[in-house]
Amino acid sequence: MADYQLFIGGEYVDAESGETFTTTDPATEQPIGEVAKADRVDAQKAIAAARTAFDEGPWPNMSGEERAGYLDKLADLLEANAERFAEAEARDSGGTIKKATFADVPGGAGALRWFARMARERPQVEQLEGSPFPPSENYVRYEPYGVCTGIVPFNFPLLMACWKLGPALAAGNTSVIKPASYTSITALMLGELAQEADLPPGVLNVIAGPGGTAGEELAANESVDKVAFTGSTEVGRRIMQLASGTVKPVTLELGGKSANIVLDDADLDIAAAAVLFGTFFHNGQVCESGTRALVHKSIYDEFLSLLVDRAGKIVIGSQLDFNSDLGPLVARSQADTVRRYVALGREEVGEPVCGGSEPEGLADGLVTENFYRPTIFAGVSNEARIAQEEIFGPVLCVIPFETDDEAVAIANASIYGLGGGVQSGNVERAQAIADRLQTGTVWINDYHMISPERPFGGYKQSGIGRELGTAGFDIYRQAKHVHTNPSTGRDGYMHLAALSGNI
Ligand code: NAD
């Protein structure tokens, strides 16, 4: 029996094949446990369980209030188990215990509560005023799609799972979630909470397994009605293709290369904090990281030395230590990607002004190759590959500019458009720039502030649709318009008669 089993139809089960894979702590490369490895057959089982729960179960027919009660209960249970979830998340992903404790667990519970509120407050039926065809009456019903699958990335496994299952369930759909293989365990643990909350079997299913088999099934299967995917732009394109077979709606949250613009009137202390936190939080393994800092030429030298000075003080160590600002990257392969991009940066730009290697002097037992120092390349051209391609590691490109127009042009010269920042002492000037940025979120004198109440998503190749906010709930429902002619006599027949002629 696997240590972490698949959660299908309300029960924990092994994969049909009996296969497992080992999940490890990336700081030490020590095994954490064996995870059941779902393939297409297990994905089909999970989809079938969700299908039955939707077609025959009470879930889609419950009131919003009833569904909200379950989601609030799940949030309560997540909070009651906060320490256990935070530790598992940090150990499995390499993200710090600080991040897991203050962002992942409360963020997940917060999202569940927000969507519970949406289920309560957003109308399921809306009577429409007036009529274009009197005496007809018109109303719109907002109905769930059915089975919604959610495929999530390695960087925020618990949070992303909650962002997917929360709105799906709140709107009356049933759900199958698949986390990334490096970081499967906290999403699988959500099944325990579902059992304790007495969620009807099949409403929530969680499977772990490879994207190429289990993931593809979740995107392509004809019994699936909607797919939500968060991950790389490359896999996002594949998801669209797979979903097109049965014309499923897709929500895609994809990659980014966001610009954080530092104007000449910025408070440099605050701006440095926004740039460093905006880039290096979670080792840059955040989709909307501000990995391109556009800095006004008049403050460039002073600001750069501030960045370098502070970057050197970032504490790297075990992710389970509350004093660590950064732990390891999620896996050796991700650290290798960072090393490759830093080598490319050395060719394209020259020596980085800080970082550019693994940290020295880590505690015994920590695998140095899986850690990387915050790295800053200065004087980067926006055309360089390190400024255009998503590295997903602790690497910042600093790019100089002279005018606000130039900053906007550089920021927008990217295939992506997910996040971004403007650091300025003049809020009106900053907002004027924000309004011109082709991106889904802009933080002024801040960074990374995401909350369930506000929409989040990408422009251009950073995605389709929005998660969170009211938009992130509505995207899980479809509108049905019902037009009723209340008259059975000739007076109500006149529109038909007028338009249909002799038909
Ligand atoms: P990934 O695209 O490699 O994998 C994401 C998920 O898709 C995993 O669960 C994986 O198993 C699955 N998958 C892989 N191939 C698949 C296929 N052919 N069919 C179906 N599923 C498949 O991404 P990752 O490496 O886990 O995460 C990093 C990426 O995620 C970055 O590009 C980052 O920008 C992006 N991301 C975006 C957001 C956002 O909100 N826009 C948030 C977090 C991460």
Side-chain angles (χ1 to χ4, degrees):
M1 196 176 92
D3 302 308
Y4 298 93
Q5 293 180 294
L6 313 176
F7 184 66
I8 298 178
E11 288 176 3
Y12 276 108
V13 293
D14 280 331
E16 288 283 313
S17 66
E19 277 194 58
T20 61
F21 62 93
T22 308
T23 192
T24 58
D25 175 340
T28 60
E29 293 190 346
Q30 293 302 307
I32 296 171
E34 289 297 307
V35 182
K37 182 177 174 185
D39 62 17
R40 283 188 185 275
V41 174
D42 306 286
Q44 285 158 4
K45 259 175 72 179
I47 293 164
R51 185 79 262 162
T52 304
F54 186 82
D55 292 344
E56 297 169 21
W59 192 255
N61 303 316
M62 282 182 189
S63 67
E65 184 65 41
E66 277 176 286
R67 287 198 292 264
Y70 282 100
L71 287 168
D72 278 338
K73 181 80 182 153
L74 284 177
D76 291 345
L77 289 168
L78 183 54
E79 282 166 353
N81 288 278
E83 257 181 60
R84 198 162 62 86
F85 271 83
E87 212 225 278
E89 188 77 330
R91 196 179 282 284
D92 200 26
S93 70
T96 61
I97 190 75
K98 209 159 40 181
K99 163 184 169 285
T101 304
F102 298 119
D104 297 310
V105 174
L112 297 175
R113 288 198 198 290
W114 167 253
F115 289 113
R117 185 172 149 196
M118 292 289 91
R120 285 195 179 94
E121 292 182 2
R122 300 289 282 171
Q124 280 175 279
V125 180
E126 208 175 355
Q127 293 294 336
L128 303 180
E129 295 296 318
S131 171
F133 304 111
S136 75
E137 291 158 10
N138 304 72
Y139 63 90
V140 174
R141 278 169 58 82
Y142 295 101
E143 300 188 339
Y145 281 96
V147 175
C148 294
T149 54
I151 303 173
V152 303
F154 72 73
N155 58 347
F156 290 88
L158 174 66
L159 190 68
M160 295 291 124
C162 292
W163 283 20
K164 302 273 183 289
L165 75 91
L169 266 51
N173 305 280
T174 57
S175 170
V176 183
I177 300 288
K178 192 196 87 62
S181 298
Y182 286 136
T183 56
S184 296
I185 66 181
T186 48
L188 291 169
M189 284 161 61
L190 286 172
E192 296 169 28
L193 309 188
Q195 285 177 331
E196 211 174 326
D198 278 329
L199 197 68
V203 169
L204 171 65
N205 308 273
V206 187
I207 60 170
T213 51
E216 296 228 345
E217 191 66 33
L218 296 186
N221 190 291
E222 63 182 17
S223 286
V224 172
D225 300 297
K226 175 178 163 60
V227 187
F229 169 79
T230 298
S232 58
T233 296
E234 190 189 344
V235 176
R237 288 191 195 102
R238 176 80 183 135
I239 299 286
M240 279 182 93
Q241 285 172 346
L242 293 168
S244 72
T246 52
V247 197
K248 298 184 215 317
V250 292
T251 309
L252 301 176
E253 298 282 1
L254 308 176
K257 195 78 191 181
S258 301
N260 196 350
I261 301 171
V262 184
L263 298 181
D264 48 359
D265 59 9
D267 177 315
L268 297 193
D269 253 3
I270 295 173
V275 167
L276 292 170
F277 175 60
T279 310
F280 297 125
F281 173 57
H282 197 24
N283 271 318
Q285 299 169 118
V286 185
C287 49
E288 35 73 358
S289 287
T291 44
R292 292 182 296 150
L294 315 190
V295 182
H296 194 277
K297 274 193 176 155
S298 67
I299 51 161
Y300 187 85
D301 290 339
E302 187 186 351
F303 189 66
L304 192 60
S305 51
L306 202 56
L307 289 183
V308 172
D309 181 48
R310 295 229 198 135
K313 294 183 178 135
I314 292 172
V315 179
I316 306 174
S318 163
Q319 77 273 32
L320 300 175
D321 182 343
F322 258 99
N323 293 318
S324 297
D325 296 317
L326 297 179
L329 287 126
V330 69
R332 180 75 66 101
S333 59
Q334 194 65 24
D336 288 341
T337 302
V338 174
R339 279 186 276 272
R340 271 198 307 277
Y341 270 107
V342 171
L344 175 66
R346 285 192 163 104
E347 281 170 31
E348 289 188 309
V349 181
E351 202 46 32
V353 291
C354 71
S357 62
E358 296 77 20
E360 287 168 7
L362 291 175
D364 284 352
L366 299 185
V367 178
T368 303
E369 289 80 0
N370 293 352
F371 292 77
Y372 209 83
R373 289 164 64 209
T375 299
I376 301 178
F377 285 99
V380 180
S381 152
N382 193 51
E383 281 83 48
R385 276 182 59 198
I386 58 164
Q388 287 294 316
E389 297 176 18
E390 187 183 46
I391 300 173
F392 229 55
V395 182
L396 172 67
C397 293
V398 184
I399 303 172
F401 72 88
E402 264 176 298
T403 65
D404 291 7
D405 284 351
E406 193 189 353
V408 170
I410 296 172
N412 287 341
S414 167
I415 61 164
Y416 298 114
L418 191 55
V422 186
Q423 313 303 323
S424 168
N426 180 339
V427 167
E428 276 175 21
R429 181 180 170 200
Q431 285 178 340
I433 290 177
D435 291 350
R436 296 168 64 197
L437 296 179
Q438 297 159 354
T439 191
T441 300
V442 183
W443 290 282
I444 293 175
N445 297 330
D446 226 324
Y447 214 88
H448 281 322
M449 293 299 117
I450 293 176
S451 91
E453 294 87 354
R454 308 283 178 257
F456 178 74
Y459 278 37
K460 300 192 277 189
Q461 293 186 38
S462 287
I464 298 178
R466 292 292 175 270
E467 294 193 298
L468 310 180
T470 50
F473 174 75
D474 291 341
I475 210 165
Y476 280 86
R477 313 194 297 177
Q478 49 193 337
K480 176 191 283 175
H481 168 213
V482 179
H483 167 111
T484 309
N485 180 351
S487 165
T488 50
R490 291 200 63 79
D491 55 339
Y493 183 66
M494 63 191 174
H495 297 294
L496 267 181
L499 288 174
S500 60
N502 295 319
I503 296 169

